[in-house]
Amino acid sequence: MSTDRQTLLVTGGAGFIGANFVRQRLAQRSDERIVVLDALTYAGNRRNLAGIDPDRCEFVHGDIRDTALVERLLREHGIRTLVHFAAESHVDRSISGPDAFIDANVIGTHSLLKAARTVWLSGSGVPHRFHHVSTDEVYGSLGPHDPPFEETNQYQPNSPYSASKAASDHLVRAYHHTFHLEVTTTNCSNNYGPFQFPEKLIPLMLVNCLHGRPLPIYGDGMNIRDWLHVDDHCRGITLALEKGRPGEVYNIGGENERPNIEIVQRITGAIDAAFAADPSLAPRFPSSPAADGRGCWSLVTYVKDRPGHDRRYAIDPRKAQSELGYRPHETFETGLAKTVAWYLANEPWWRAVMDGSYRDWLEHQYAGR
Ligand code: NAD
Ligand code: TDX
């Protein structure tokens, strides 16, 4: 297949996972260039790509729904590998405003598939790969004793976000089955790490600890997620590009199930320990309870549950392990320690992305809880 071709198109490369993928891939492959196509929604940020050599990474500000633009990029750069991250990705936003999720995730994915089909399959066709980045949420919610999600599990999406991702997965599958587009899909569990927008659980709790703001726990805090460091997700995607069989789906996860309340305990403990070890943190973040030794756990606040809140996700990664040789490199302990250190060291980044519109949205979110 074409994964060793020179230029990749990465959609959503200015978002959290996309930017981490671009950085990891360029560091691993000195012979490759990447074109990033990103609409720079609230979640996309040029800062996420700061410091990358512009000769190796070209940024194009545009929408994946612009099929003509995607066709032009594929042709002009001779691109044979497309890695598709671009999406609306936050479940709470899909509850307050589902339309954007249909537009970006369903219409947007279909636009990319149409462009790829036109450019790669016209005439006698060219070798190519369309890799679709999806989520474990398409499989629905597990009971406490259910086995983890396998690739053959029935799709049972419960939120507008997961329904829109499920629809996109089906379109990718259909373009393979009907038109023979060479696709692979990875369905991954919850990611955490650098450049994650502070609306998702881990970065939100970290930033709120530093500001001395409430730590909102939805419901009883016993919902379970399977957490994976973003670098390990990106490694899995590269393995799927290299070794994945066209038309196949691979589940990627960390075998690391934790209830939300435990995640918050670990974060508050890590912030308290960081302040105890480093006297420069208290004057930098005087509103944090860690600054005067009270401890961040005092900020925990139980709030009204997320509507339709899935109880448990867990990934069975055996297919990715056996077919792709996939293994995470980070443990949850090493991954979380690196992430806490990154947010402490990159205060200008998170202050810049948390602009006025974000704060308005957050206030609106919690007004009814
Ligand atoms: P993110 O919200 O941080 O980034 C999404 C990016 O897509 C942003 O840069 C945004 O500007 C861009 N984008 C949105 N709509 C676009 C459009 N119409 N055209 C071009 N660009 C557009 O998301 P993320 O957390 O990095 O997730 C990336 C992908 O991985 C998504 O497809 C998501 O469903 C999937 N995923 C995420 C997780 C997770 O834990 N975050 C887990 C599994 C799968
Ligand atoms: O303030 C909060 N309080 C809280 O209790 C937030 C933001 C979340 N939660 C809970 C809800 C979930 O049970 O924490 C858990 C994780 O929440 P999110 O970070 O919003 O992630 P989740 O809803 O599990 O979805 C994520 O994982 C799969 C990503 O956002 C998706 O893009 C990905 O596909």
Side-chain angles (χ1 to χ4, degrees):
M1 282 317 310
S2 59
T3 53
D4 55 354
R5 295 293 170 116
Q6 228 191 338
T7 304
L8 273 64
L9 179 61
V10 174
T11 72
F16 161 50
I17 306 174
N20 279 284
F21 176 82
V22 168
R23 289 172 180 279
Q24 185 185 88
R25 184 88 189 182
L26 289 174
Q28 287 171 347
R29 310 288 169 113
S30 55
D31 57 330
E32 274 183 2
R33 287 183 72 249
I34 290 179
V35 174
V36 167
L37 174 61
D38 198 296
L40 297 180
T41 68
Y42 79 94
N45 203 310
R46 289 296 300 266
R47 289 181 182 85
N48 296 0
L49 299 169
I52 294 179
D53 178 356
D55 289 339
R56 298 193 59 209
C57 183
E58 178 174 333
F59 181 79
V60 177
H61 184 194
D63 198 302
I64 55 171
R65 289 170 296 169
D66 185 346
T67 316
L69 168 65
V70 178
E71 285 180 20
R72 181 170 67 71
L73 292 175
L74 294 177
R75 285 202 177 95
E76 274 181 5
H77 295 272
I79 291 167
R80 301 284 180 262
T81 302
L82 187 161
V83 189
H84 175 34
F85 293 92
E88 288 291 334
S89 70
H90 191 38
V91 173
D92 289 328
R93 288 182 191 255
S94 84
I95 296 166
S96 53
D99 295 65
F101 288 71
I102 307 306
D103 290 344
N105 302 359
V106 186
I107 309 291
T109 301
H110 189 231
S111 162
L112 291 175
L113 289 164
K114 284 192 294 182
R117 180 183 172 210
T118 301
V119 175
W120 290 340
L121 295 179
S122 298
S124 52
V126 292
H128 62 271
R129 174 65 62 85
F130 185 112
H131 184 78
H132 177 54
V133 180
S134 193
T135 171
D136 58 358
E137 303 200 12
V138 296
Y139 300 119
S141 183
L142 292 168
H145 306 297
D146 289 337
F149 300 128
E150 293 180 40
E151 289 79 359
T152 49
N153 271 47
Q154 191 185 342
Y155 270 39
Q156 292 186 325
N158 290 320
S159 71
Y161 163 69
S162 53
S164 67
K165 291 297 291 186
S168 69
D169 293 7
H170 291 323
L171 285 167
V172 170
R173 176 190 157 88
Y175 266 65
H176 174 71
H177 188 82
T178 304
F179 304 120
H180 311 296
L181 193 70
E182 301 216 341
V183 304
T184 37
T185 297
T186 41
N187 291 80
C188 189
S189 58
N190 285 61
N191 283 215
Y192 66 97
F195 301 108
Q196 189 169 30
F197 195 83
E199 64 185 351
K200 307 279 166 65
L201 181 71
I202 288 183
L204 178 76
M205 295 295 160
L206 279 171
V207 167
N208 282 8
C209 281
L210 297 175
H211 284 307
R213 292 203 193 114
L215 307 180
I217 312 281
Y218 299 170
D220 64 2
M222 291 307 291
N223 299 66
I224 290 173
R225 298 293 183 263
D226 179 353
W227 293 94
L228 184 73
H229 191 274
V230 64
D231 285 347
D232 284 322
H233 183 186
C234 295
R235 285 186 193 99
I237 292 168
T238 287
L239 286 168
L241 286 171
E242 283 169 356
K243 300 183 184 173
R245 288 178 292 137
E248 289 296 318
V249 173
Y250 299 92
N251 284 355
I252 297 184
E255 295 182 288
N256 179 41
E257 290 183 54
R258 316 258 171 179
N260 294 336
I261 199 73
E262 183 192 328
I263 301 297
V264 177
Q265 266 164 358
R266 283 173 177 263
I267 291 170
T268 56
I271 296 287
D272 292 348
F275 275 67
D278 179 355
S280 74
L281 290 176
R284 274 178 64 199
F285 304 107
S287 309
S288 174
D292 58 18
R294 275 178 296 143
C296 291
W297 186 253
S298 60
L299 297 171
V300 163
T301 310
Y302 286 87
V303 299
K304 199 170 145 214
D305 209 354
R306 171 187 279 173
H309 195 177
D310 284 338
R311 193 64 175 169
R312 174 178 165 236
Y313 304 141
I315 283 278
D316 182 337
R318 282 177 299 173
K319 182 177 175 186
Q321 287 170 352
S322 62
E323 285 195 23
L324 310 179
Y326 173 72
R327 293 275 181 292
H329 290 189
E330 300 290 348
T331 64
F332 190 57
E333 287 66 33
T334 60
L336 190 64
K338 285 182 183 174
T339 304
V340 171
W342 191 88
Y343 278 85
L344 285 172
N346 289 278
E347 183 186 351
W349 178 87
W350 49 262
R351 283 203 188 279
V353 301
M354 294 169 74
D355 64 2
S357 63
Y358 166 72
R359 281 196 296 273
D360 290 349
W361 178 81
L362 206 59
E363 268 167 33
H364 171 75
Q365 267 298 295
Y366 298 125
R369 289 186 189 263

